[in-house]
Amino acid sequence: MSAVIVAIDGPSGTGKSSTSKAVAEAMGLSYLDTGAQYRAITWWMLSNGVPADDAEAVAAAAAKPVIDSGTDPAAPTIAVDGTDASGPIRSKEVTAAVSSVSAVPEVRSRITALQRAIAAEAPGGIVVEGRDIGTTVLPDADLKIFLTASPEARASRRSGELKGKDATDLSATREALIKRDAADSGRKTSPLKKADDAVEVDTTELTLEQVVECVVTLVEQAAAAKGGGTVGAEAAEAADEKAGQISK
Ligand SMILES: Nc1ncnc2c1ncn2[C@@H]1O[C@H](COP(=O)(O)OP(=O)(O)OP(=O)(O)O)[C@@H](O)[C@H]1O
Ligand SMILES: Nc1ccn([C@H]2C[C@H](O)[C@@H](COP(=O)(O)O)O2)c(=O)n1
Protein backbone atom coordinates (compact mmCIF):
# COMPACT_ATOMS: atom_id res chain seq x y z
CA MET A 1 0.00 0.00 0.00
CA SER A 2 1.38 3.38 -0.93
CA ALA A 3 1.88 6.42 1.28
CA VAL A 4 -0.23 9.57 1.22
CA ILE A 5 1.40 12.59 -0.42
CA VAL A 6 0.07 16.03 0.54
CA ALA A 7 1.07 19.24 -1.29
CA ILE A 8 0.49 22.56 0.49
CA ASP A 9 1.19 25.76 -1.44
CA GLY A 10 0.43 29.43 -1.04
CA PRO A 11 1.89 32.90 -0.63
CA SER A 12 4.16 33.94 2.22
CA GLY A 13 2.67 34.09 5.70
CA THR A 14 -0.49 32.14 4.92
CA GLY A 15 0.47 29.49 7.49
CA LYS A 16 1.97 26.77 5.28
CA SER A 17 4.83 25.80 7.61
CA SER A 18 2.84 25.93 10.85
CA THR A 19 -0.06 24.00 9.35
CA SER A 20 2.07 21.43 7.51
CA LYS A 21 4.19 20.63 10.56
CA ALA A 22 1.16 20.25 12.85
CA VAL A 23 -0.74 18.08 10.35
CA ALA A 24 2.29 15.88 9.66
CA GLU A 25 2.95 15.44 13.37
CA ALA A 26 -0.67 14.61 14.15
CA MET A 27 -0.90 12.07 11.36
CA GLY A 28 2.49 10.39 11.56
CA LEU A 29 3.70 11.80 8.23
CA SER A 30 7.06 13.25 7.24
CA TYR A 31 7.35 16.98 6.52
CA LEU A 32 9.37 18.92 3.96
CA ASP A 33 9.84 22.72 3.98
CA THR A 34 10.89 23.45 0.39
CA GLY A 35 11.25 27.19 1.10
CA ALA A 36 14.06 26.26 3.52
CA GLN A 37 15.84 24.49 0.64
CA TYR A 38 15.65 27.58 -1.59
CA ARG A 39 16.80 29.70 1.33
CA ALA A 40 19.70 27.28 1.93
CA ILE A 41 20.97 27.48 -1.64
CA THR A 42 20.57 31.29 -1.49
CA TRP A 43 22.61 31.41 1.71
CA TRP A 44 25.34 29.36 0.02
CA MET A 45 25.41 31.78 -2.95
CA LEU A 46 25.71 34.81 -0.65
CA SER A 47 28.35 33.11 1.52
CA ASN A 48 30.41 32.18 -1.53
CA GLY A 49 30.38 35.57 -3.24
CA VAL A 50 27.89 34.65 -5.96
CA PRO A 51 25.66 37.71 -6.62
CA ALA A 52 22.01 36.70 -6.21
CA ASP A 53 20.95 38.95 -9.08
CA ASP A 54 23.46 37.43 -11.54
CA ALA A 55 21.38 34.59 -13.00
CA GLU A 56 24.28 33.21 -15.05
CA ALA A 57 26.61 33.01 -12.04
CA VAL A 58 23.86 31.45 -9.90
CA ALA A 59 23.12 28.90 -12.64
CA ALA A 60 26.82 28.00 -12.94
CA ALA A 61 27.06 27.36 -9.18
CA ALA A 62 23.65 25.69 -8.71
CA ALA A 63 25.01 22.14 -8.52
CA LYS A 64 27.73 22.90 -5.96
CA PRO A 65 26.09 23.09 -2.51
CA VAL A 66 25.02 19.86 -0.83
CA ILE A 67 21.58 20.48 0.70
CA ASP A 68 20.29 18.06 3.32
CA SER A 69 16.74 18.27 4.71
CA GLY A 70 15.57 16.39 7.81
CA THR A 71 11.86 15.54 7.56
CA ASP A 72 10.80 14.89 11.16
CA PRO A 73 7.94 17.42 11.65
CA ALA A 74 8.79 17.70 15.36
CA ALA A 75 12.37 18.76 14.55
CA PRO A 76 12.90 19.60 10.87
CA THR A 77 16.52 20.34 9.91
CA ILE A 78 18.34 21.98 7.02
CA ALA A 79 22.08 21.69 6.40
CA VAL A 80 24.37 23.02 3.68
CA ASP A 81 27.65 21.19 3.04
CA GLY A 82 27.19 19.48 6.41
CA THR A 83 26.64 22.72 8.36
CA ASP A 84 23.37 23.50 10.15
CA ALA A 85 21.83 26.41 8.22
CA SER A 86 18.55 26.76 10.10
CA GLY A 87 19.53 30.13 11.65
CA PRO A 88 21.24 31.96 8.77
CA ILE A 89 18.61 31.02 6.17
CA ARG A 90 16.10 33.23 8.06
CA SER A 91 18.31 36.37 7.86
CA LYS A 92 17.07 39.57 6.18
CA GLU A 93 19.78 39.20 3.52
CA VAL A 94 18.63 35.72 2.52
CA THR A 95 14.95 36.75 2.58
CA ALA A 96 15.74 39.67 0.25
CA ALA A 97 17.71 37.50 -2.19
CA VAL A 98 15.75 34.22 -2.23
CA SER A 99 13.24 35.18 -4.93
CA SER A 100 16.03 36.01 -7.42
CA VAL A 101 17.97 32.82 -6.73
CA SER A 102 14.88 30.59 -6.79
CA ALA A 103 13.82 32.01 -10.17
CA VAL A 104 16.90 30.53 -11.88
CA PRO A 105 15.86 27.39 -13.84
CA GLU A 106 19.07 25.46 -12.96
CA VAL A 107 18.37 26.05 -9.26
CA ARG A 108 14.76 24.92 -9.63
CA SER A 109 15.56 21.74 -11.54
CA ARG A 110 18.18 20.74 -8.97
CA ILE A 111 15.94 21.43 -5.96
CA THR A 112 12.87 19.89 -7.61
CA ALA A 113 14.77 16.61 -8.19
CA LEU A 114 15.83 16.62 -4.54
CA GLN A 115 12.25 17.23 -3.37
CA ARG A 116 10.87 14.40 -5.52
CA ALA A 117 13.50 11.98 -4.18
CA ILE A 118 12.68 12.91 -0.58
CA ALA A 119 8.94 12.47 -1.17
CA ALA A 120 9.46 9.12 -2.87
CA GLU A 121 11.54 7.85 0.05
CA ALA A 122 9.20 9.01 2.86
CA PRO A 123 8.15 5.75 4.50
CA GLY A 124 4.62 6.56 5.67
CA GLY A 125 3.80 9.55 3.46
CA ILE A 126 4.71 13.22 3.57
CA VAL A 127 3.40 16.77 3.70
CA VAL A 128 5.43 18.96 1.32
CA GLU A 129 4.93 22.73 1.48
CA GLY A 130 6.05 25.47 -0.89
CA ARG A 131 4.96 27.43 -3.95
CA ASP A 132 4.95 24.93 -6.84
CA ILE A 133 4.42 21.58 -5.15
CA GLY A 134 0.93 20.90 -6.53
CA THR A 135 1.69 22.31 -9.98
CA THR A 136 5.22 21.07 -10.69
CA VAL A 137 7.02 19.06 -8.03
CA LEU A 138 4.29 16.53 -7.16
CA PRO A 139 1.48 16.94 -9.71
CA ASP A 140 0.11 13.51 -8.73
CA ALA A 141 -0.14 14.31 -5.01
CA ASP A 142 -3.11 12.65 -3.27
CA LEU A 143 -4.24 15.98 -1.84
CA LYS A 144 -3.37 19.53 -2.89
CA ILE A 145 -4.15 22.51 -0.70
CA PHE A 146 -3.65 26.19 -1.53
CA LEU A 147 -3.63 28.44 1.54
CA THR A 148 -4.46 32.14 1.20
CA ALA A 149 -4.93 35.08 3.59
CA SER A 150 -5.28 38.83 3.18
CA PRO A 151 -2.03 40.83 3.01
CA GLU A 152 -3.09 42.57 6.23
CA ALA A 153 -3.50 39.29 8.13
CA ARG A 154 -0.20 37.96 6.79
CA ALA A 155 1.68 41.15 7.67
CA SER A 156 0.17 41.21 11.14
CA ARG A 157 1.22 37.58 11.73
CA ARG A 158 4.75 38.32 10.54
CA SER A 159 5.04 41.54 12.57
CA GLY A 160 4.03 39.61 15.66
CA GLU A 161 6.87 37.16 14.95
CA LEU A 162 9.45 39.89 14.40
CA LYS A 163 8.68 41.97 17.51
CA GLY A 164 11.79 42.69 19.53
CA LYS A 165 14.06 41.13 16.92
CA ASP A 166 13.70 43.28 13.87
CA ALA A 167 11.78 46.51 14.18
CA THR A 168 9.98 46.45 10.85
CA ASP A 169 6.62 48.22 10.94
CA LEU A 170 3.39 46.65 9.75
CA SER A 171 3.20 48.51 6.46
CA ALA A 172 6.82 47.77 5.54
CA THR A 173 6.21 44.08 6.34
CA ARG A 174 3.08 44.14 4.18
CA GLU A 175 4.95 45.76 1.27
CA ALA A 176 7.83 43.26 1.56
CA LEU A 177 5.40 40.30 1.51
CA ILE A 178 3.58 41.69 -1.52
CA LYS A 179 6.86 42.30 -3.35
CA ARG A 180 8.14 38.77 -2.69
CA ASP A 181 4.81 37.20 -3.73
CA ALA A 182 4.83 39.25 -6.95
CA ALA A 183 8.34 38.05 -7.77
CA ASP A 184 7.46 34.43 -6.92
CA SER A 185 4.21 34.57 -8.95
CA GLY A 186 5.78 36.39 -11.89
CA ARG A 187 8.80 34.21 -12.61
CA LYS A 188 8.83 32.09 -15.78
CA THR A 189 9.78 28.72 -14.28
CA SER A 190 7.15 27.10 -12.03
CA PRO A 191 5.71 30.26 -10.48
CA LEU A 192 3.64 30.40 -7.29
CA LYS A 193 0.22 29.25 -8.54
CA LYS A 194 -2.79 27.31 -7.32
CA ALA A 195 -3.07 23.93 -9.03
CA ASP A 196 -6.41 23.51 -10.83
CA ASP A 197 -7.27 20.56 -8.57
CA ALA A 198 -6.15 22.15 -5.28
CA VAL A 199 -8.55 22.90 -2.41
CA GLU A 200 -8.28 26.59 -1.53
CA VAL A 201 -8.47 27.48 2.16
CA ASP A 202 -8.68 31.18 3.07
CA THR A 203 -7.09 31.40 6.52
CA THR A 204 -7.70 35.14 7.10
CA GLU A 205 -10.42 34.63 9.69
CA LEU A 206 -9.30 31.21 10.96
CA THR A 207 -7.07 30.38 13.89
CA LEU A 208 -4.12 28.10 13.22
CA GLU A 209 -5.95 25.34 15.13
CA GLN A 210 -8.98 25.68 12.85
CA VAL A 211 -6.79 25.46 9.73
CA VAL A 212 -5.03 22.36 11.10
CA GLU A 213 -8.36 20.73 11.89
CA CYS A 214 -9.63 21.44 8.39
CA VAL A 215 -6.49 20.03 6.72
CA VAL A 216 -6.42 16.93 8.97
CA THR A 217 -9.97 16.18 7.84
CA LEU A 218 -9.01 16.61 4.18
CA VAL A 219 -5.99 14.31 4.60
CA GLU A 220 -8.13 11.65 6.29
CA GLN A 221 -10.58 11.83 3.38
CA ALA A 222 -7.78 11.60 0.80
CA ALA A 223 -6.26 8.62 2.62
CA ALA A 224 -9.63 6.88 2.80
CA ALA A 225 -10.25 7.52 -0.91
CA LYS A 226 -6.88 5.99 -1.66
CA GLY A 227 -7.84 2.80 0.11
CA GLY A 228 -7.08 3.58 3.73
CA GLY A 229 -3.53 2.33 3.45
CA THR A 230 -1.74 5.58 3.96
CA VAL A 231 -2.57 6.80 7.44
CA GLY A 232 -2.06 3.95 9.85
CA ALA A 233 -4.66 3.13 12.53
CA GLU A 234 -2.52 4.69 15.25
CA ALA A 235 -1.89 7.89 13.31
CA ALA A 236 -5.54 8.16 12.27
CA GLU A 237 -6.58 7.76 15.90
CA ALA A 238 -4.12 10.48 16.94
CA ALA A 239 -5.51 12.73 14.20
CA ASP A 240 -9.10 12.13 15.33
CA GLU A 241 -8.08 12.91 18.88
CA LYS A 242 -6.37 16.12 17.77
CA ALA A 243 -9.36 17.17 15.66
CA GLY A 244 -11.58 16.49 18.68
CA GLN A 245 -9.40 18.64 20.90
CA ILE A 246 -9.39 21.48 18.42
CA SER A 247 -13.15 21.57 17.94
CA LYS A 248 -13.82 21.80 21.69
N1 LIG B 1 -4.40 30.91 10.93
C1 LIG B 1 -3.47 31.61 11.59
N2 LIG B 1 -3.83 32.59 12.45
C2 LIG B 1 -2.91 33.34 13.08
N3 LIG B 1 -1.57 33.19 12.95
C3 LIG B 1 -1.15 32.24 12.12
C4 LIG B 1 -2.06 31.40 11.39
N4 LIG B 1 -1.33 30.56 10.62
C5 LIG B 1 -0.04 30.85 10.86
N5 LIG B 1 0.08 31.84 11.76
C6 LIG B 1 1.31 32.49 12.23
O1 LIG B 1 1.76 33.28 11.13
C7 LIG B 1 3.17 33.24 11.03
C8 LIG B 1 3.55 32.75 9.63
O2 LIG B 1 3.14 31.40 9.52
P1 LIG B 1 3.98 30.35 8.66
O3 LIG B 1 5.45 30.56 8.84
O4 LIG B 1 3.43 29.02 8.94
O5 LIG B 1 3.58 30.85 7.18
P2 LIG B 1 4.17 30.38 5.79
O6 LIG B 1 3.04 30.41 4.83
O7 LIG B 1 4.91 29.12 5.93
O8 LIG B 1 5.17 31.58 5.48
P3 LIG B 1 6.46 31.57 4.52
O9 LIG B 1 6.02 31.12 3.19
O10 LIG B 1 6.89 33.01 4.49
O11 LIG B 1 7.48 30.67 5.14
C9 LIG B 1 3.64 32.34 12.17
O12 LIG B 1 4.01 33.15 13.25
C10 LIG B 1 2.42 31.50 12.52
O13 LIG B 1 2.41 31.10 13.86
N1 LIG C 1 8.44 25.48 -3.61
C1 LIG C 1 9.04 26.69 -3.40
C2 LIG C 1 9.29 27.14 -2.11
C3 LIG C 1 9.89 28.34 -1.93
N2 LIG C 1 10.28 29.06 -3.01
C4 LIG C 1 11.01 30.33 -2.88
C5 LIG C 1 10.12 31.54 -2.96
C6 LIG C 1 10.03 32.05 -1.56
O1 LIG C 1 9.94 33.46 -1.53
C7 LIG C 1 11.32 31.56 -0.94
C8 LIG C 1 11.29 31.32 0.56
O2 LIG C 1 10.20 30.50 0.90
P1 LIG C 1 9.55 30.56 2.38
O3 LIG C 1 10.61 30.19 3.34
O4 LIG C 1 9.08 31.97 2.57
O5 LIG C 1 8.44 29.57 2.33
O6 LIG C 1 11.64 30.36 -1.61
C9 LIG C 1 10.01 28.61 -4.27
O7 LIG C 1 10.35 29.29 -5.26
N3 LIG C 1 9.41 27.42 -4.44
Side-chain angles (χ1 to χ4, degrees), residues 21-201:
K21 267 190 279 193
V23 169
E25 215 173 335
M27 307 195 76
L29 303 172
S30 297
Y31 159 71
L32 179 62
D33 176 356
T34 64
Q37 296 177 315
Y38 285 104
R39 287 173 177 273
I41 200 164
T42 301
W43 177 58
W44 186 94
M45 296 292 166
L46 298 180
S47 307
N48 286 275
V50 180
D53 56 357
D54 182 343
E56 270 186 38
V58 169
K64 292 185 183 171
V66 177
I67 312 280
D68 188 42
S69 299
T71 59
D72 175 355
T77 58
I78 181 82
V80 182
D81 295 338
T83 299
D84 173 23
S86 53
I89 64 164
R90 305 289 163 193
S91 69
K92 274 191 292 189
E93 292 73 20
V94 169
T95 301
V98 66
S99 290
S100 305
V101 171
S102 61
V104 174
E106 287 79 359
V107 168
R108 297 210 74 80
S109 59
R110 162 119 203 268
I111 299 292
T112 296
L114 186 60
Q115 292 161 355
R116 287 180 178 149
I118 292 169
E121 283 161 18
I126 190 165
V127 181
V128 184
E129 55 115 340
R131 303 293 192 288
D132 63 337
I133 310 306
T135 54
T136 304
V137 179
L138 301 168
D140 297 327
D142 301 300
L143 173 66
K144 299 179 189 178
I145 292 173
F146 195 80
L147 296 184
T148 62
S150 70
E152 290 69 28
R154 297 188 287 126
S156 143
R157 291 172 189 174
R158 279 273 176 250
S159 293
E161 254 178 11
L162 294 171
K163 245 172 235 161
K165 282 192 206 163
D166 186 349
T168 312
D169 70 17
L170 197 63
S171 106
T173 303
R174 184 180 178 279
E175 293 318 306
L177 283 173
I178 290 172
K179 190 175 163 203
R180 188 146 64 95
D181 290 342
D184 295 340
S185 306
R187 67 175 174 240
K188 278 196 183 144
T189 312
S190 50
L192 160 65
K193 191 173 177 289
K194 176 183 172 293
D196 291 340
D197 52 350
V199 179
E200 184 167 333
V201 179

Side-chain angles (χ1 to χ4, degrees), residues 10-19 33 39 90 129 131 147 154 157-158 161 177 180 203-204 206-209 211:
S12 180
T14 50
K16 299 181 300 296
S17 299
S18 321
T19 304
D33 176 356
R39 287 173 177 273
R90 305 289 163 193
E129 55 115 340
R131 303 293 192 288
L147 296 184
R154 297 188 287 126
R157 291 172 189 174
R158 279 273 176 250
E161 254 178 11
L177 283 173
R180 188 146 64 95
T203 70
T204 308
L206 301 178
T207 64
L208 176 58
E209 289 72 21
V211 180

